[in-house]
Amino acid sequence: MNRQSSSQQQTSVDGQKVSGIQRFVREPLLHFLLLAALLFVVQAYLGGEEKELIVVDAETQKYLIKQEEDLRLRPLTEDEKLGVIDNFIEEEILVREARARGFTDSSRIRALLLQNMRFFIGGDVPEPTEEDLRAHFEANLAEFTSPQSIDLNHIMFRDPKTVPTGILEKLNDAEDPSKFGDLDMQLGFNLRFLDQRRLVGLFGPETATELLAIEEGDMSWRGPIEAPGGSQHFLRVSTHNPPRTPEFESAKDWIATRWLSTKSRALVDESVEEMRKNYLIDVQPIESAENG
């Protein structure tokens, strides 16, 4: 009897404990405390601060990639595409950080905000020694080698309606271009050392590709060529300039500028990497946008 009574009492006690636990679990206060603890852990994991969002949508990516491909006159590799997008993200971070530091008082122009921010970060670089410059020059000869370029004879008409009839034939017959009426001489008759990027900027990617493909010795005039701004141009390649690497002494000022730029760039990269922690960056997939 004692054992049975004891067993019954134990069962009763255990039942009260289970019932008490069930009531405790159902308590709204407990739910609130558990949710608060979970939010605290999540907030601590994310850094304890709300991060600003940077979205790089598919259309922006396609525009940036197309712009760079036009300048290079070729498709970009996957790594180059990632570099273009990363450069855009860096600029967006620097612009937002510049505004946060009050640089908007001087100008609202994006390029000036970037310039101010980069100078603010990387402007405290000491002057290089000659040993520094020589070492940088020798290690980066390709950077100081001028690209292939061409010289052009050039005439321009701002208004297409003022282009004389039969002008191309007259030019190829060596007639003096100064006789052709309403010429616009803003760019001049001789354009020198035009590399790929400058040609694209002046005449667009298609014309740049055609001009660079002209064989040496072909002195015929070509046109009319319509520039991106609408003006009409007639061109002749007068000289092909091969790539050239300067002597150290003649390029010392240029080398010093590039050395300072490299050191400043390293400081900016380091700072931007730290700034990235303050942002959530969403690079949307291009493929899904195209399929959608």
Side-chain angles (χ1 to χ4, degrees):
M1 293 291 293
N2 291 339
R3 288 184 180 179
Q4 184 176 2
S5 176
S6 175
S7 176
Q8 290 175 346
Q9 289 177 356
Q10 183 64 41
T11 301
S12 176
V13 170
D14 291 344
Q16 290 176 357
K17 286 182 180 179
V18 171
S19 178
I21 291 173
Q22 289 175 340
R23 287 198 304 272
F24 183 66
V25 169
R26 294 194 187 102
E27 280 293 329
L29 177 60
L30 174 64
H31 297 168
F32 174 79
L33 292 174
L34 289 174
L35 181 60
L38 178 62
L39 289 175
F40 177 80
V41 170
V42 171
Q43 186 180 29
Y45 178 77
L46 293 177
E49 295 180 0
E50 184 177 351
K51 297 186 178 184
E52 193 171 343
L53 179 63
I54 295 176
V55 177
V56 190
D57 60 45
E59 289 303 315
T60 298
Q61 293 175 64
K62 288 189 285 187
Y63 170 79
L64 294 170
I65 291 169
K66 176 65 164 56
Q67 187 179 50
E68 189 64 24
E69 288 180 336
D70 284 347
L71 285 174
R72 300 194 190 196
L73 299 180
R74 63 170 176 81
L76 299 184
T77 65
E78 290 304 312
D79 284 345
E80 288 169 341
K81 289 178 183 179
L82 291 175
V84 168
I85 304 308
D86 198 55
N87 186 65
F88 173 80
I89 293 170
E90 175 186 305
E91 290 187 355
E92 190 63 29
I93 289 173
L94 287 174
V95 166
R96 297 188 188 197
E97 293 290 328
R99 289 172 178 157
R101 287 164 169 76
F103 283 116
T104 47
D105 293 338
S106 61
S107 173
R108 294 182 180 180
I109 301 174
R110 182 183 180 94
L112 289 182
L113 286 176
L114 287 168
Q115 179 181 322
N116 286 339
M117 195 62 187
R118 284 175 172 142
F119 180 79
F120 175 76
I121 295 171
D124 192 22
V125 178
E127 289 295 321
T129 64
E130 181 156 333
E131 287 183 2
D132 291 331
L133 297 183
R134 285 190 179 276
H136 185 74
F137 180 64
E138 294 297 332
N140 300 276
L141 287 177
E143 180 182 325
F144 297 102
T145 299
S146 61
Q148 173 190 352
S149 66
I150 57 177
D151 298 343
L152 296 176
N153 297 141
H154 161 263
I155 61 172
M156 167 182 171
F157 296 88
R158 182 70 62 183
D159 184 356
K161 296 177 181 178
T162 63
V163 177
T165 303
I167 184 175
L168 197 58
E169 291 77 11
K170 294 176 182 178
L171 285 169
N172 282 319
D173 289 339
E175 191 166 332
D176 184 0
S178 63
K179 298 178 180 178
F180 294 138
D182 192 16
L183 291 177
D184 188 320
M185 299 303 296
Q186 179 180 352
L187 294 178
F189 180 72
N190 295 301
L191 306 179
R192 303 202 62 198
F193 300 109
L194 299 179
D195 61 18
Q196 178 177 297
R197 283 182 174 264
R198 292 186 65 197
L199 287 169
V200 170
L202 286 171
F203 306 116
E206 291 184 7
T207 299
T209 302
E210 292 174 7
L211 291 172
L212 289 171
I214 293 173
E215 295 182 0
E216 195 164 357
D218 183 349
M219 298 291 289
S220 58
W221 284 84
R222 288 165 169 80
I225 294 167
E226 184 172 338
S231 55
Q232 298 282 319
H233 300 256
F234 294 83
L235 307 169
R236 176 174 66 180
V237 178
S238 59
T239 310
H240 289 75
N241 305 304
R244 187 179 70 87
T245 304
E247 297 294 330
F248 172 79
E249 292 299 334
S250 64
K252 189 182 289 187
D253 289 343
W254 180 24
I255 298 167
T257 299
R258 298 295 301 194
W259 185 91
L260 290 168
S261 176
T262 300
K263 296 299 181 183
S264 177
R265 174 76 250 180
L267 291 176
V268 171
D269 287 346
E270 184 179 340
S271 295
V272 169
E273 193 62 31
E274 188 65 26
M275 293 171 186
R276 278 176 182 264
K277 299 175 183 178
N278 300 323
Y279 297 88
L280 290 175
I281 299 171
D282 178 15
V283 180
Q284 299 180 349
I286 295 179
E287 293 78 8
S288 63
E290 290 175 344
N291 295 334

